[in-house]
Amino acid sequence: MTQRNSASTPEADGIRARRVRDTLTTAFQPALLEILDESSRHAHHVAMTRGPEAGATETHFRVHLVSHLFEGVSRVNRSRMVHDALGYEFGSGLHALALTLRTPEEESALA
């Protein structure tokens, strides 16, 4: 698995980000996984008050995930797969994901 960092936003490294990374790595065996914490850009949102992490600050992530498991799967179903894998996180304070989900072939075609 390759991990990249963005020059403008550091790779997420909080407790939730590490759980998200572990969950996505286990579920999708990614060729590339990049997780950026964009929660500070959404500070105006009402704090999440449900679940064991009430008031959690890690609420919004941008995820770039490349996996062979997306081959032959529509964009909508790829998103569903990721949301299903992260069900616990949504129940405990995760609010939103911005997803870029590609197969290795799709990713290499963009290089």
Side-chain angles (χ1 to χ4, degrees):
M1 172 180 61
T2 303
Q3 290 186 348
R4 300 190 296 200
N5 287 327
S6 166
S8 62
T9 309
E11 182 83 10
D13 193 34
I15 293 169
R16 184 185 309 276
R18 288 192 296 269
R19 284 196 317 259
V20 167
R21 184 175 294 109
D22 290 346
T23 299
L24 295 178
T25 298
T26 299
F28 296 99
Q29 306 151 23
L32 182 144
L33 176 59
E34 180 180 50
I35 302 171
L36 305 175
D37 186 348
E38 296 186 332
S39 301
S40 63
R41 296 180 184 177
H42 302 275
H44 61 282
H45 289 189
V46 176
M48 302 302 286
T49 57
R50 64 178 189 260
E53 296 181 42
T57 58
E58 292 178 274
T59 57
H60 293 71
F61 291 106
R62 179 169 300 279
V63 175
H64 183 172
L65 173 60
V66 177
S67 173
H68 67 90
L69 296 176
F70 294 142
E71 292 173 10
V73 178
S74 71
R75 290 177 61 188
V76 169
N77 286 334
R78 292 175 189 189
S79 293
R80 286 182 181 147
M81 291 166 67
V82 171
H83 281 256
D84 288 347
L86 296 175
Y88 169 81
E89 299 302 335
F90 280 105
S92 68
L94 179 61
H95 181 68
L97 296 174
L99 298 173
T100 300
L101 307 172
R102 297 187 181 119
T103 67
E105 294 77 19
E106 291 166 344
E107 185 72 15
S108 64
L110 298 173

